[in-house]
């Protein structure tokens, strides 16, 4: 079965789209191969194309992004079972590669058309009346298949039970996507040879039964009732029975049986019995499908929950980060973490290490922007005694110390070109020499890099090596800015308030409504780091059991919206504040407490305003 996209939610739920040699374009425009009429989807949103032996999904600079397993991607190789999210639609990428070994025989579809011959059609409601000798068979089928949870095991056992009550030599169960005739699972079995011999199925018969929703029995030899092709004639089928699997008027698929022995031709009693069994089987098959889906979803959710980390956040953007960590941590893949300063890139790197098989080994963090080139080279690779002035002894570098563990290279975009070359060799060969040394040192480590720069722009500017970028960008994670997850602001603020309240021996009861408004409406260009500093300042300077708006930095208090204001606006605000304070001080005869009472602020806050606005000399006159 060729690779395909199976829609599991959204406007195309239940549909399947084949992925072949030609690029598959997904978007809102009608010319797209997969047209999604959704305002959140760009006209040409993304595409899937074959590269070598793999299929790669590429985001076509869409507004809302393309997500694979809830991780935003620009370009990524798809693997079996990957979940692709575009707007409100989700798809599963499915392929035979990587599937578990099937218990099914190979099933081949044959394209003949039914034109004449002896055929019988029967509806499900006509099969209710059964002879007493068939009741025990129905009871056995019902109790057996309803106790099986695995779908493959259920289908295999169902065919074996059918072989017990019907003289069929070969059988196949064809399951479809909801609401379509596209097959998403075909399971076949040969009575004598099991799964070792292929089963040939007439596609025309299957489609006819799916279309009409009625069972079909065809006898009297293949050549008499079909325009037979060599493939179907070679099977020697003398009798074929095809019965729909119906559940509440939904067509789940068909049961397909045939035999080559003229003396064992199917009859109306066989058709009635198999039709009745199909009604029981449809319920069991749907339950098994749902059970497998729930197990898979439960495993995915548990993997997210069980990720150990020190990050705080419950927003959807952070849930995607946790899911990414759960997927990549068990591997040794090199990770490139991007994001603005203060978004927690090092915390994410530590979480990846903590949830990896290297968790018991070292985690070494190096800030590539903190040291000059010579010191950074020595810090990373180590040096031999006497290799430069001041090298009084041999020193192991961070790469060597991290052997068996993880090296985290923060601000990787600040590496100088010579160090980029040396790091590239480490990524390619996992070996290096100390500064001033000749012995090659082998290391087994995982590399995680982070940057707040756009490395692609740095490549175009000639500041960063393209080959190093490709080595680092095996899998990438973008940490969300705090303004993109505003629902986490107060969660973080309360955490920092508790943390610094304990350090300063202050018992706080939370934030005033005005302070909450200031915190949640601010854009936080410094992200979580700026928020932490603001809360620490408020805890240190505050004097009440709540954090008030006046305890926060002036940048937060003065903010009235997200639209940048012209410079003369800020000048006017400052002048107005000065005049209001001076008028209040005049009315209070220079008494700070009385002036603060007139203004409705705390005296400490008034004193800070006086200092910040350079009014100290005017107030003391």
């Amino acid at each position: 079965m060729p690779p395909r996209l199976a829609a599991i939610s959204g406007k195309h739920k239940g549909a399947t789209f084949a992925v072949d040699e030609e690029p598959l374009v997904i978007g809102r425009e009608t010319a797209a191969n997969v047209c999604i009429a959704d305002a959140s989807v760009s006209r040409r949103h993304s595409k899937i194309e074959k590269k070598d032996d793999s299929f790669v999904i590429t985001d076509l600079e869409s507004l809302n992004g393309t997500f694979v397993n809830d991780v935003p991607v620009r370009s990524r190789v798809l693997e079996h079972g990957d979940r692709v999210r575009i707007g409100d639609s989700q798809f599963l990428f499915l392929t035979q590669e990587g599937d578990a070994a099937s218990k099914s025989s190979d099933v081949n579809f044959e394209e003949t058309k039914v034109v004449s011959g002896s055929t019988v059609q029967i509806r499900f409601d006509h099969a209710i009346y059964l002879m007493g000798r068939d009741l025990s068979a129905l009871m056995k089928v019902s109790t057996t298949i309803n106790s099986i949870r695995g779908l493959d095991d259920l289908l295999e056992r169902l065919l074996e039970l059918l072989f017990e009550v019907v003289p069929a030599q070969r059988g196949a169960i064809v399951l479809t996507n909801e609401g379509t005739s596209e097959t998403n699972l075909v399971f076949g079995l040969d009575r004598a040879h099991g799964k070792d011999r292929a089963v040939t199925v007439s596609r025309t018969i299957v489609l006819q039964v799916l279309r009409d929703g009625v069972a079909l029995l065809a006898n009297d030899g293949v050549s008499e009732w079909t325009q037979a092709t060599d493939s179907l004639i070679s099977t020697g089928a003398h009798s074929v029975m095809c019965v729909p699997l119906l559940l509440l008027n939904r067509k789940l698929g068909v049961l397909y049986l045939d035999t080559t022995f003229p003396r064992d031709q199917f009859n109306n009693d066989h058709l009635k019995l198999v039709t009745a069994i199909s009604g029981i089987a449809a319920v069991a098959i749907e339950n098994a499908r749902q059970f497998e889906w729930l197990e898979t979803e439960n495993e995915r959710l548990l993997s997210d929950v069980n990720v150990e980390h020190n990050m705080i956040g419950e927003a959807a953007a952070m849930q995607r980060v946790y899911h990414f960590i759960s997927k990549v941590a068990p591997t040794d893949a090199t990770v490139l973490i991007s994001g603005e300063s203060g978004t927690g890139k090092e915390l994410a790197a530590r979480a990846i290490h903590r949830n990896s098989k290297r968790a018991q080994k070292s985690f070494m963090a190096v800030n590539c922007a903190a040291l000059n080139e010579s010191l950074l080279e020595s810090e990373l690779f180590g040096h031999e005694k006497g290799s430069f002035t001041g090298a009084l002894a041999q020193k192991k570098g961070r790469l060597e110390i991290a052997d068996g563990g993880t090296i985290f290279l923060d601000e990787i975009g600040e590496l100088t070109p010579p160090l980029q070359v040396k790091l590239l060799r480490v990524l390619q060969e996992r070996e290096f020499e100390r500064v001033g040394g000749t012995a090659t040192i082998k290391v087994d480590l995982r590399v995680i890099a982070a940057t707040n720069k756009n490395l692609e722009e740095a490549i175009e500017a000639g500041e960063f090596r393209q080959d190093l970028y490709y080595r680092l960008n095996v899998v990438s994670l973008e940490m969300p800015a705090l303004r993109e997850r505003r629902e986490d602001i107060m969660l973080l603020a309360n955490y920092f308030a508790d943390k610094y309240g304990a350090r300063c021996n202050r018992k706080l009861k939370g934030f005033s409504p005005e302070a909450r408004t200031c915190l949640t409406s601010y854009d936080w260009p410094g992200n979580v780091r700026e928020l932490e500093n603001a809360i620490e300042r408020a805890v240190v300077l505050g004097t009440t059991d709540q954090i008030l708006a006046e305890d926060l930095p002036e940048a937060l208090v003065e903010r009235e919206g997200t639209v940048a204001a012209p410079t003369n606006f800020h000048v006017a605000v400052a002048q107005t504040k000065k005049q209001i304070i001076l008028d209040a001080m005049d009315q209070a005869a220079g008494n700070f407490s009385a002036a603060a009472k007139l203004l409705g602020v705390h005296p400490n806050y008034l004193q800070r305003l006086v200092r910040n606005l350079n009014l100290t000399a005017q107030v003391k006159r």
Side-chain angles (χ1 to χ4, degrees):
M1 188 176 294
R4 59 219 181 268
L5 277 184
I8 58 175
S9 69
K11 299 182 182 297
H12 291 290
K13 182 179 179 181
T16 301
F17 303 92
V19 180
D20 49 29
E21 301 290 336
E22 296 298 322
L24 181 79
V25 177
I26 306 171
R28 197 174 69 247
E29 67 178 11
T30 55
N33 304 98
V34 181
C35 178
I36 305 176
D38 184 346
S40 62
V41 177
S42 300
R43 290 180 63 254
R44 287 174 58 85
H45 198 102
S46 57
K47 69 176 179 180
I48 300 175
E49 58 185 338
K50 188 172 184 180
K51 293 185 178 180
D52 297 327
D53 294 328
S54 303
F55 286 89
V56 177
I57 186 167
T58 304
D59 185 76
L60 301 177
E61 298 184 357
S62 63
L63 290 177
N64 295 314
T66 300
F67 296 81
V68 176
N69 299 326
D70 290 325
V71 178
V73 298
R74 291 184 179 177
S75 181
R76 172 169 167 169
V77 175
L78 289 174
E79 297 180 356
H80 174 74
D82 278 346
R83 181 160 45 86
V84 178
R85 178 161 59 84
I86 295 172
D88 293 330
S89 298
Q90 296 194 68
F91 304 85
L92 284 179
F93 179 74
L94 303 173
T95 175
Q96 288 185 334
E97 295 181 6
D99 287 351
S102 176
K103 299 178 180 179
S104 164
S105 297
D106 289 339
V107 178
N108 303 319
F109 280 99
E110 186 276 329
E111 306 290 348
T112 60
K113 296 182 179 179
V114 178
V115 294
S116 65
S118 173
T119 63
V120 177
Q121 292 186 339
I122 184 170
R123 296 184 181 276
F124 178 73
D125 53 1
H126 296 161
I128 298 301
Y129 177 74
L130 295 169
M131 297 173 61
R133 63 185 172 86
D134 294 330
L135 293 179
S136 60
L138 289 173
M139 290 295 294
K140 182 177 180 180
V141 170
S142 178
T143 55
T144 302
I145 65 176
N146 280 295
S147 64
I148 301 173
R149 288 287 179 250
L151 186 58
D152 274 3
D153 290 337
L154 187 153
L155 299 181
E156 181 183 24
R157 187 67 181 123
L158 176 58
L159 287 174
E160 291 173 348
L161 291 170
L162 287 169
F163 290 160
E164 292 180 12
V165 297
V166 176
Q169 284 184 278
R170 294 176 294 263
I173 300 173
V174 181
L175 301 182
T176 64
N177 292 314
E178 184 177 354
T180 72
S181 59
E182 293 288 336
T183 59
N184 65 2
L185 177 63
V186 181
F187 192 101
L189 204 63
D190 186 286
R191 179 192 288 267
H193 303 279
K195 64 179 181 179
D196 296 327
R197 180 167 294 184
V199 175
T200 300
V201 173
S202 169
R203 187 185 298 275
T204 303
I205 293 176
V206 170
L207 292 178
Q208 178 177 326
V209 171
L210 285 173
R211 182 186 69 243
D212 299 337
V214 296
L216 183 146
L217 171 61
N219 283 316
D220 301 331
V222 173
S223 61
E224 295 183 11
W225 49 266
T226 62
Q227 295 176 344
T229 61
D230 292 340
S231 62
L232 191 56
I233 291 174
S234 66
T235 68
H238 281 270
S239 190
V240 174
M241 187 190 321
C242 190
V243 179
L245 291 163
L246 302 176
L247 180 63
L248 300 175
N249 296 322
R250 289 170 49 213
K251 300 168 184 175
L252 303 184
V254 299
L255 300 178
Y256 186 98
L257 302 167
D258 71 9
T259 181
T260 62
F261 297 119
R263 67 179 184 276
D264 291 336
Q265 286 189 350
F266 305 137
N267 56 37
N268 285 354
D269 287 345
H270 294 141
L271 188 59
K272 291 177 183 178
L273 179 59
V274 174
T275 304
I277 290 174
S278 74
I280 300 170
V283 176
I285 289 171
E286 182 67 7
N287 288 342
R289 279 172 140 181
Q290 293 297 323
F291 186 81
E292 286 194 347
W293 181 85
L294 288 172
E295 276 193 325
T296 302
E297 187 67 8
N298 187 50
E299 289 176 1
R300 184 187 70 79
L301 293 173
L302 284 175
S303 68
D304 292 354
V305 171
N306 293 331
V307 171
E308 294 184 32
H309 59 84
N310 290 329
M311 293 176 284
I312 297 173
E314 298 175 356
M318 291 304 296
Q319 296 300 329
R320 290 193 288 272
V321 171
Y322 303 149
H323 181 63
F324 175 89
I325 292 171
S326 72
K327 293 279 285 185
V328 304
T331 72
D332 272 337
T334 302
V335 182
L336 178 62
I337 305 174
S338 59
E340 298 176 8
S341 179
T343 51
K345 296 187 287 295
E346 183 170 345
L347 288 178
R350 290 184 181 275
I352 292 172
H353 172 73
R354 185 181 299 179
N355 292 276
S356 74
K357 60 188 177 183
R358 300 174 180 270
Q360 302 305 315
K361 300 292 184 178
S362 300
F363 176 90
M364 301 300 298
V366 180
N367 190 324
C368 299
L371 301 171
N372 62 36
E373 180 180 344
S374 59
L375 289 177
L376 181 58
E377 182 178 17
S378 174
E379 190 71 18
L380 282 175
F381 302 101
H383 61 254
E384 298 290 351
K385 179 180 179 181
S387 57
F388 55 85
T389 302
L392 303 178
Q394 183 192 77
K395 175 187 175 182
K396 290 185 177 181
R398 296 292 182 95
L399 291 170
E400 192 173 350
I401 297 172
D403 187 26
T406 303
I407 184 80
F408 173 60
L409 304 175
D410 198 8
E411 304 297 346
I412 192 71
E414 303 301 326
L415 275 184
T416 60
L419 287 183
Q420 291 180 32
V421 174
K422 296 193 71 172
L423 179 60
L424 180 61
R425 183 188 172 199
V426 173
L427 291 172
Q428 290 175 332
E429 308 297 338
R430 291 299 194 266
E431 64 182 30
F432 62 92
E433 291 86 32
R434 297 192 188 104
V435 176
T438 56
T440 299
I441 299 170
K442 294 275 189 178
V443 287
D444 170 29
L445 49 76
R446 181 182 199 165
V447 177
I448 303 177
T451 181
N452 59 10
K453 294 177 64 174
N454 187 320
L455 294 184
E456 292 181 350
E457 292 180 358
I459 291 171
E460 293 179 1
E463 299 171 354
F464 201 82
R465 293 181 63 95
Q466 190 174 49
D467 48 3
L468 176 58
Y469 172 73
Y470 290 140
R471 285 287 179 179
L472 292 170
N473 194 32
V474 176
V475 288
S476 59
L477 168 65
E478 183 169 0
M479 294 298 293
L482 188 54
R483 60 182 172 275
E484 296 171 0
R485 52 184 186 110
R486 292 187 182 275
E487 56 266 53
D488 287 339
I489 290 176
M490 290 312 304
L491 190 68
L492 287 159
N494 283 307
Y495 169 78
F496 292 135
D498 289 342
K499 174 182 175 181
Y500 292 108
R503 288 186 183 181
C504 298
N505 198 26
R506 281 193 62 193
K507 293 183 179 180
L508 296 169
K509 295 182 179 179
F511 296 78
S512 70
E514 295 80 8
R516 286 175 173 270
T517 300
C518 291
L519 290 170
T520 55
S521 62
Y522 186 57
D523 273 349
W524 299 106
N527 294 293
V528 179
R529 185 179 293 120
E530 183 184 6
L531 173 62
E532 181 176 6
N533 291 340
I535 300 303
E536 182 181 10
R537 175 185 186 277
V539 170
V540 171
L541 296 178
T543 56
T544 68
D545 59 359
Q546 278 192 324
I547 292 180
L548 307 177
E550 58 243 40
D551 298 328
L552 300 171
E554 278 74 17
L556 276 69
V557 178
E558 293 176 1
R559 184 174 180 81
E560 296 184 2
T562 58
V563 181
T567 305
N568 59 358
F569 169 78
H570 294 291
V571 173
V573 168
Q575 293 297 331
T576 302
K577 287 168 70 174
K578 287 181 180 181
Q579 191 58 52
I580 291 172
I581 291 170
L582 291 174
D583 290 344
M585 291 298 293
D586 286 341
Q587 293 181 44
N591 187 299
F592 266 92
S593 297
K597 188 174 182 179
L598 287 172
L599 294 171
V601 298
H602 196 276
N604 291 347
Y605 179 57
L606 178 58
Q607 290 183 1
R608 288 205 303 275
L609 281 175
V610 168
R611 288 195 301 272
N612 292 339
L613 295 171
N614 296 319
L615 293 176
T616 305
Q618 298 179 56
V619 166
K620 290 182 177 180
R621 284 186 302 180

